[in-house]
Amino acid sequence: QIKIKQWYQRRVAITAGGHAGEPNDKLVKDGDLLLFDMGSEYAGYTADVTLSYPANGKFTEKQKFVYQTCLDANLKVQSELKPGVSWTDMHRLAEEVIIKKFMEKRKKYRLRLCVDTTA
């Protein structure tokens, strides 16, 4: 039972209002975006999914843009996947889609994008 408790304590929820292992008492407000980043592991297999929902059921224009940009990057990567393609190439492809779209709309939505130019 001690091992189970120790394992559970290391795997706590990461929420948009807090950080892993930190208390989170933020109330969800109208206009907030809820982010669920969930993963599991069993018998050597892992799975992960990230979902986002507007708290009030409707995306703001800015939230809709970010959501659609991430979806576009995901779909582009899926369309290019094939045997022999490296994970790094797919990661960079997703970054290219996201950076291009953010650069096109950065003034309209007052977006900031941090890019690591050392990679």
Side-chain angles (χ1 to χ4, degrees):
Q1 190 172 12
I2 292 172
K3 286 183 181 178
I4 291 172
K5 186 176 181 181
Q6 289 172 343
W7 175 87
Y8 175 75
Q9 287 175 343
R10 289 195 317 264
R11 288 157 178 81
V12 295
I14 300 173
T15 63
H19 299 282
E22 297 289 324
N24 182 5
D25 59 358
K26 182 181 185 297
L27 295 176
V28 176
K29 298 180 292 192
D30 186 42
D32 282 351
L33 190 64
L34 305 175
L35 174 73
F36 300 90
D37 188 7
M38 302 168 282
S40 63
E41 181 180 322
Y42 177 76
Y45 294 93
T46 59
D48 184 85
V49 63
T50 303
L51 307 165
S52 54
Y53 297 97
N56 62 8
K58 185 171 168 102
F59 286 113
T60 66
E61 285 299 313
K62 189 174 182 179
Q63 290 168 345
K64 191 184 299 182
F65 168 76
V66 172
Y67 181 91
Q68 188 63 51
T69 297
C70 292
L71 180 59
D72 291 347
N74 179 297
L75 294 173
K76 181 66 174 175
V77 167
Q78 287 184 50
S79 75
E80 298 295 323
L81 278 175
K82 59 187 171 207
V85 174
S86 74
W87 178 90
T88 305
D89 288 343
M90 295 295 95
H91 183 78
R92 287 188 175 142
L93 178 60
E95 286 178 334
E96 287 174 18
V97 172
I98 292 167
I99 290 168
K100 180 181 177 191
K101 288 186 173 274
F102 267 58
M103 295 304 286
E104 290 171 358
K105 299 287 186 182
R106 69 183 180 276
K107 289 183 181 171
K108 178 178 181 180
Y109 293 116
R110 301 184 73 200
L111 297 168
R112 293 185 188 147
L113 182 65
C114 298
V115 180
D116 181 0
T117 59
T118 62

